[in-house]
Amino acid sequence: MSSRDSENYIKKMFREYYLKWDGRPPKEYERREYGFVPSRKGDVLRHVSFNDWREMKEFLAKNAPLHVYYSSAYYLQPSAQDMESKEWLGADLVFDIDVDHIYTPCKERHDKWLCLDCNFNGKGMAPEACPKCSSKRIDGKAWFCEECLNVAREETEKLVEDFLMSDFGFSEEEVEIVFSGRRGFHIHVENDVVKQLDQKARREIVDYVKGMGLILEGGRKKAHAPPLNASGWHGRIARGVYELLVGCDKEGAGIEEGTTKTICEKLQESKGYWLVEGDVCRAWLSLAKKAVASKRCNIDERVTIDVKRLIRLPETLHGGTGLIALRIDIDGLSGFDPYKHAVAFNSGEIKVKVAEAPKITFMGQEWGPYLNQVVEVPTGLAVYLISSGNAEVSP
Ligand SMILES: [Zn+2]
Ligand SMILES: [Zn+2]
């Protein structure tokens, strides 16, 4: 069967999902702009707004779009055709943690890319431009494995628990975690104070979360080391150093054992800031640098800084996977499995012709690897493989 049949099949499944859809509206939903990608051609239908959430439900059931987005911004005229006349009123603070932008070693095993101009190709993370001909027309085949999921989850926990709740003091109710539908998580902060922040203020938040511009008193002979329970980055660095020392990194840190012992003991007993000097100071600073690298949060800064961005609407389907952009409780994050909890189609099996797919654990069972073969798989996996361009429906 053709890709046309596959597209029709996906449309039919998405419509089935949206006929029963009961997604919760975002805060002040009538002030938001909505955008839709109706088909594989990829054109975006923008500047849509709804005064009644029932209209949204009807729209989704009728059109079954591949992607559904909404603005993190609130506007006076959300459906105005140009950004100027929309009259911006504010925006939620949004973070994107996406394995697409984070190096994970497992990508060398499961990701591939191909230059569409010169056919040069490779394994692992797709480069921005082709190393051979500099073309930017790169086609990547990316997968999201358990290792990738763990990395995305850890970054999300760090962001939400350490930065947003502990440092910034947001409550659990103000922070919403949503599976992106593909390779990561979106974190939305809805709060009247953040709503008014301009791009510059958001840039500051990005820098803080990414640990940019921290001054570690490098090159000095003396420094003040913080205690483990210090607030903000100070405590984060102290804890990071402590974890490095009680971990197996002592040799890797290239620091003499006596010095690491001194630092370790000091961190254990210190209630306040303590002075480091000479060799201990040098060791401390080099460890602090490593601690920053392990404690910083790997967010896609463009998303946070942009105050007029469209972002996937929670509980809608991702057209590139058929998975649900599921809202997740912070407590549920550690047990979250996208290939189980975010699967929209849970009954039946269908035959698909798979071009290529690595081994994947789906609904708690292992499938694949496949290479140019016709297989019968659960509907949810079929939708996933077809949506991601790795399979076609088979007669
Ligand atoms: Zn090339
Ligand atoms: Zn992986």
Side-chain angles (χ1 to χ4, degrees):
M1 284 199 191
S2 68
S3 73
R4 184 82 215 159
D5 295 317
S6 295
E7 191 166 359
N8 289 340
Y9 173 73
I10 294 298
K11 202 79 182 166
K12 182 183 95 158
M13 296 310 287
F14 274 41
R15 181 162 289 124
E16 225 169 78
Y17 175 80
Y18 284 119
L19 278 170
K20 288 178 278 181
W21 192 75
D22 196 23
R24 195 170 81 221
K27 201 171 145 190
E28 295 180 59
Y29 69 87
E30 67 279 21
R31 291 258 161 267
R32 315 272 193 165
E33 178 201 351
Y34 297 86
F36 305 90
V37 176
S39 73
R40 279 189 185 181
K41 272 183 281 171
D43 301 334
V44 190
L45 170 67
R46 283 195 66 165
H47 313 301
V48 181
S49 71
F50 298 97
N51 284 315
D52 187 332
W53 197 242
R54 274 177 306 185
E55 291 168 29
M56 171 58 123
K57 290 183 187 175
E58 282 163 21
F59 183 96
L60 293 179
K62 184 165 173 252
N63 298 287
L66 289 181
H67 300 274
V68 183
Y69 305 104
Y70 78 113
S71 62
S72 58
Y74 304 81
Y75 301 105
L76 201 59
Q77 308 284 351
S79 54
Q81 294 296 303
D82 65 286
M83 298 316 278
E84 279 293 287
S85 3
K86 282 189 193 299
E87 296 186 63
W88 190 85
L89 299 170
D92 300 331
L93 182 62
V94 181
F95 298 90
D96 180 23
I97 289 169
D98 190 331
V99 172
D100 277 353
H101 307 294
I102 304 173
Y103 172 78
T104 59
C106 50
K107 282 183 187 158
E108 307 296 331
R109 288 199 306 271
H110 59 64
D111 284 6
K112 284 181 178 177
W113 57 270
L114 167 74
C115 170
L116 295 173
D117 284 322
C118 77
N119 283 331
F120 192 65
N121 58 74
K123 286 196 143 201
M125 221 162 163
E128 289 254 324
C130 172
K132 204 172 158 197
C133 77
S134 309
S135 163
K136 291 203 167 170
R137 300 203 317 128
I138 305 276
D139 181 37
K141 282 271 179 258
W143 298 84
F144 189 59
C145 75
E146 183 113 18
E147 264 177 81
C148 294
L149 172 65
N150 282 336
V151 169
R153 226 170 7 205
E154 266 172 39
E155 292 300 309
T156 305
E157 277 167 5
K158 242 192 303 191
L159 176 72
V160 172
E161 289 174 351
D162 296 357
F163 289 97
L164 298 180
M165 288 165 70
S166 182
D167 284 8
F168 296 159
F170 294 118
S171 70
E172 224 176 295
E173 291 71 46
E174 291 169 313
V175 180
E176 186 168 84
I177 305 169
V178 183
F179 172 52
S180 72
R182 192 167 161 268
R183 296 224 282 180
F185 298 95
H186 296 155
I187 295 90
H188 305 245
V189 182
E190 292 179 349
N191 159 296
D192 287 338
V193 177
V194 301
K195 200 172 158 181
Q196 297 307 322
L197 298 177
D198 62 10
Q199 282 191 302
K200 216 174 139 211
R202 287 168 204 252
R203 167 96 246 171
E204 294 279 334
I205 292 174
V206 165
D207 287 351
Y208 184 85
V209 166
K210 293 188 103 171
M212 312 276 283
L214 287 173
I215 297 163
L216 293 173
E217 307 183 62
R220 294 203 191 168
K221 294 206 170 60
K222 276 185 197 176
H224 286 93
L228 291 174
N229 65 355
S231 61
W233 266 106
H234 284 192
R236 196 169 284 121
I237 288 171
R239 292 188 294 277
V241 169
Y242 189 67
E243 282 160 24
L244 286 172
L245 296 183
V246 296
C248 52
D249 204 54
K250 281 181 222 172
E251 278 188 32
I255 292 157
E256 194 213 327
E257 215 183 303
T259 313
T260 58
K261 198 160 170 262
T262 310
I263 294 176
C264 216
E265 282 170 2
K266 266 291 200 190
L267 282 169
Q268 272 170 339
E269 67 201 30
S270 275
K271 299 269 181 289
Y273 287 73
W274 48 286
L275 189 68
V276 283
E277 292 181 278
D279 283 352
V280 180
C281 182
R282 257 197 304 281
W284 169 262
L285 291 172
S286 108
L287 288 165
K289 224 188 227 172
K290 289 191 172 194
V292 171
S294 77
K295 293 287 180 186
R296 65 161 28 126
C297 190
N298 222 326
I299 54 170
D300 181 353
E301 58 188 66
R302 290 167 303 179
V303 175
T304 305
I305 293 165
D306 189 345
V307 293
K308 291 176 182 170
R309 203 178 181 91
L310 293 178
I311 191 149
R312 191 171 305 282
L313 183 70
E315 296 175 56
T316 59
L317 297 175
H318 190 302
T321 60
L323 297 172
I324 307 168
L326 206 65
R327 290 187 168 102
I328 305 158
D329 286 347
I330 181 76
D331 301 329
L333 190 61
S334 62
F336 173 71
D337 175 358
Y339 299 137
K340 192 186 266 175
H341 305 119
V343 177
F345 310 103
N346 288 304
S347 64
E349 297 191 331
I350 82 152
K351 257 199 241 168
V352 286
K353 181 160 200 274
V354 188
E356 195 175 359
K359 191 160 74 180
I360 180 169
T361 307
F362 204 88
M363 301 298 285
Q365 217 182 312
E366 267 186 14
W367 303 88
Y370 301 121
L371 187 64
N372 289 320
Q373 63 197 103
V374 175
V375 284
E376 196 170 49
V377 294
T379 309
L381 180 55
V383 169
Y384 179 82
L385 293 171
I386 296 168
S387 298
S388 56
N390 293 292
E392 302 283 4
V393 286
S394 173

